[in-house]
Amino acid sequence: ARAALESLLRDRKLDVTLTTARPWLAEPEDRVAPSGVPAIDVALGGGVRRGQLSEVVGPRSSGRTTVLCRMFAAATARGEVVALVDTSDRFDAASAADAGVDLSRLLWIRERGDAPRALKALNLVIQAGGFGLVVFDLADVSAPVVRQFPYTTWMRIARVIEGSQTSVVLLGAEHIARSPGGATIALDRPLAAGTWSGTGDRARVLSGIDMELHVRSAAF
């Protein structure tokens, strides 16, 4: 029965929904996009897979924005054009530039909380093609609103980018979706675990955040 079901899904080009559709094998270098975060790249065998839907999830102050900026910085340093669909208009361009993001290679689509309209913008961007990395920021959108998106939404996005050079990453507070070849990068550590420089309570400067992350993929 399982074999018959998988065959039916493949005939209808819905086999991307199967976790067994593709074995988790090492990809050629041109099929992965290094994230700029060594721990993530090691866990994923070089980086986030191109042509796949992945996600970065975690609570507020867990390091989501840091990972976002590292990914954009790494992609723009490679000469790629990237896009951000900013659902809640929370992106700080100045901080991103300080983190090494080449803003001249960034398409920033700003929305004021209208998640369905932001989703339409995402669809237009991935259908246009030509982007190395596209991020859909849903981090400040409530879980009930995100759950209102039909699950077929993510299946359709995965199908559109399949075989392309584009990596699509969802940014959220909790698990949303990923394609079989994509990954879930879960961040757990709060901001209180940051590292500080300087001496004394009134002369310290935040120098970084010690992120605790777990990477889940089709292999796990």
Side-chain angles (χ1 to χ4, degrees), residues 96-121:
D98 289 342
V101 180
D102 182 352
L103 298 182
S104 69
R105 294 184 173 273
L106 169 67
L107 172 64
W108 178 17
I109 300 174
R110 305 172 66 179
E111 183 51 67
R112 298 297 180 90
D114 189 333
R117 193 163 76 165
L119 178 60
K120 291 180 181 178

Side-chain angles (χ1 to χ4, degrees), residues 181-204:
T184 296
I185 301 163
L187 307 174
D188 298 329
R189 179 134 331 161
L191 181 61
T195 56
W196 302 81
S197 61
T199 58
D201 293 339
R202 307 184 73 176
R204 294 195 304 163

Side-chain angles (χ1 to χ4, degrees), residues 27-122:
E27 291 276 6
E29 289 186 4
D30 64 344
R31 297 301 302 165
V32 296
S35 68
V37 181
I40 293 175
D41 294 339
V42 169
L44 292 179
V48 177
R49 288 190 171 191
R50 298 187 187 274
Q52 299 291 339
L53 174 68
S54 298
E55 60 180 352
V56 175
V57 298
R60 186 183 295 273
S61 298
S62 60
R64 294 175 314 210
T65 302
T66 298
V67 173
L68 169 69
C69 288
R70 294 274 186 88
M71 286 183 165
F72 278 155
T76 57
R78 294 191 295 268
E80 298 175 11
V81 177
V82 299
L84 170 64
V85 180
D86 187 6
T87 306
S88 301
D89 196 16
R90 63 189 296 275
F91 182 67
D92 184 347
S95 296
D98 289 342
V101 180
D102 182 352
L103 298 182
S104 69
R105 294 184 173 273
L106 169 67
L107 172 64
W108 178 17
I109 300 174
R110 305 172 66 179
E111 183 51 67
R112 298 297 180 90
D114 189 333
R117 193 163 76 165
L119 178 60
K120 291 180 181 178
L122 173 67

Side-chain angles (χ1 to χ4, degrees), residues 50 80-83 107 125-126 128-134 165-167:
R50 298 187 187 274
E80 298 175 11
V81 177
V82 299
L107 172 64
V125 169
I126 62 175
F131 293 91
L133 173 65
V134 177
Q165 288 292 307
T166 301
S167 299

Side-chain angles (χ1 to χ4, degrees), residues 2-3 8-9 79 82 91 99 129 136 138 142 150 153 167 171 188 194:
R2 175 179 175 179
L8 177 63
L9 289 172
V82 299
F91 182 67
F136 187 22
L138 293 167
S142 66
T153 297
S167 299
L171 198 68
D188 298 329

